[in-house]
Amino acid sequence: MAVSPEEKQGGQQEYLDALPIAAAVVCEGAKGILQIERANDHFRSLARCDERLGGCPTDQIDALQRGPIGLALRDFLTDGSEPVLQFEAGDGQVIGGRHFIVRLARLSSGATSTRRCLISLIDKTAQVDTERSLRAEMLRDSLTGLPNRLAFNERVEEILQHPNFKEGSYSVVVVDMTRFSRVNECVGAMAGDELLISFARRLFSALRAGDVLARTGGDEFGILMRLDNGLPDALELGERVRTVLTTPFRLSELEIRVDCSVGCALLTGNVELAEEVLRNAQFALKRSKLSGRSEVYEANQAKAARHRFSIETELRRAIEGDQLTLAYQPLIDLPTGQVSGFEALARWEHEDRGQISPTEFIPVAEESGLILSLGRWALDSAARTLADWDRKAGKILPLYVGVNLSAIQIARDDVAAAVSGALSSSGIAGSRLTLELTESAIIQDPQRATKVLEALKGLDAKVAMDDFGTGYTSLSYLQRLPIDTLKIDRSFVAGMLGDGDSVAIVRAILSLAEALGLATTAEGIESEELAKALTELGCTHGQGYYFARPLEPQAALDYWLARNA
């Protein structure tokens, strides 16, 4: 039984009306103008057009005219290759625009040659708006309202991937607030947050139009800036930032002066990722914290950082695998020429790299915190070596061993407990250990340093101040702290024979030590003339290559036996 056109059209309309989404049949009309042949109420409401009233071309419907949907619809009908096409698109409205999942399905032309298709629209505007809102929240720092690290990196990424990007035309500048943690500890987290907000406002006032400011870390801010005059633009920004920070910040009743460190990195063709640019600027920032001026990233810094990280990983394994050793450099009683003791020095013989200098791995150990386990190992090893020498000699030998303490150990470890444990496990007396620490270990936290040294004296251990003369120790510290020995830095000792100023400095240190009742040890003695000169000036002890290089434990014992025979 044949179906009449009216029945067929009625069936199509019933199908459209049954759909829970906006749908319509679009056909190609006269002069190629696309017409809405029939639609359901969902589509009519959305399109604000009723084909039943006649004359409903698609170019009068906003969603099909201004946006990409209309273009895709025309191409789909005229191309005729794909039976179905599905995509997501907006209606083209800048303000209050809507977003749809669009599906186009080709319909048979029947007896006529008119091209037809079914268009269905699933409104996902609410979902898109929610996603945009969540993304905007995800890219915003909740405290300052600035873009966060992710948003900053996306902006840098856009610059790097732009087809007109020119190497060196942009720079990333990282600004870090100094002393923020101390301020936070003293005035509290809420005042700290207030300081961060005020700091961000000051930074913003130093920027030019077009510069992008973001909060990239706790007290770290990143700036993306175009360089109109090259690198000097970035350095000038650093000076402007420091200028706006000269006025103290007012927090409640307090006035706090804040300084900053500034690191810069250029966007170059060698950099592919935004995170890498930011990391390069942070390398420069680290140097700025030491130099006190704005610093620019140098290409070898990343390589050096990777090398330090490699050293850190392998040093951790070496400590855990007991692969390090101690070498012992003799400490000579200058008036008698006999050996009074030894300074224990860490040595690392790497299986692939050979001998790794302490000047290379000790800073890595301090930066990574491995100095705590390294320091405890050195104490235990030195104490065991002393006990072993006693056993070999058949008596308690009249000598001591000096072990270096890092400022990190003083600040973060229970040094007295570590020394006590080393003494207990080896069975030696505390008087046979001398703990050597630098002036910086005292200056960083004088109160804690005082407590640590007093605890060490309670164990009958001796204390020596290493590299004396190179720091800023107050004379009052020397009076208050339980220090037994001043070690004169090799930089003064080495220049004595040809520099009257060095002689004057050494003589002054020796006079000060005598007045305070302290022993003295001169480092870096490399000639007989130096040894005689220091003896004549009244220095009590010396060490250096003139006497001996650092020795293996057995060689050190043999040296003591030969020298003290």
Side-chain angles (χ1 to χ4, degrees), residues 150-202:
L150 178 59
F152 185 76
N153 282 342
E154 286 189 357
R155 184 70 184 99
V156 175
E157 204 76 47
E158 290 174 8
I159 299 294
L160 287 170
Q161 295 176 0
H162 196 280
N164 296 328
F165 168 70
K166 293 182 180 179
E167 186 170 317
S169 59
Y170 283 85
S171 173
V172 166
V173 179
V174 175
V175 181
D176 183 85
M177 191 191 313
T178 58
R179 298 192 310 121
F180 176 70
S181 58
R182 183 69 61 87
V183 172
N184 228 11
E185 292 170 0
C186 295
V187 300
M190 290 186 65
D193 288 348
E194 184 183 345
L195 177 59
L196 280 172
I197 295 170
S198 300
F199 186 82
R201 289 172 180 166
R202 294 271 188 99

Side-chain angles (χ1 to χ4, degrees), residues 450-483:
T450 301
K451 291 180 181 178
V452 171
L453 297 190
E454 289 174 348
L456 293 175
K457 297 302 290 185
L459 297 171
D460 205 22
K462 291 182 171 59
V463 176
M465 182 175 287
D466 202 6
D467 302 333
F468 185 76
T470 60
Y472 306 94
T473 304
S474 168
L475 294 180
S476 63
Y477 289 153
L478 294 181
Q479 287 181 306
R480 296 198 311 266
L481 295 175
I483 296 172

Side-chain angles (χ1 to χ4, degrees), residues 311-352:
I311 289 291
E312 176 187 338
T313 302
E314 297 189 39
L315 178 59
R316 180 177 287 105
R317 293 172 182 167
I319 295 173
E320 293 172 353
D322 198 22
Q323 298 172 9
L324 278 74
T325 59
L326 287 179
Y328 297 86
Q329 186 169 37
L331 299 165
I332 307 299
D333 185 294
L334 291 178
T336 66
Q338 293 190 325
V339 181
S340 298
F342 296 88
E343 180 182 357
L345 302 167
R347 294 291 182 263
W348 182 12
E349 183 73 30
H350 192 278
E351 58 183 359
D352 297 323

Side-chain angles (χ1 to χ4, degrees), residues 76 82-85 103-107 116-120:
F76 182 76
E82 296 291 335
V84 176
L85 175 64
R103 179 179 173 84
L104 305 177
R106 202 172 305 282
L107 299 175
R116 288 180 172 82
C117 76
L118 174 67
I119 178 172
S120 58

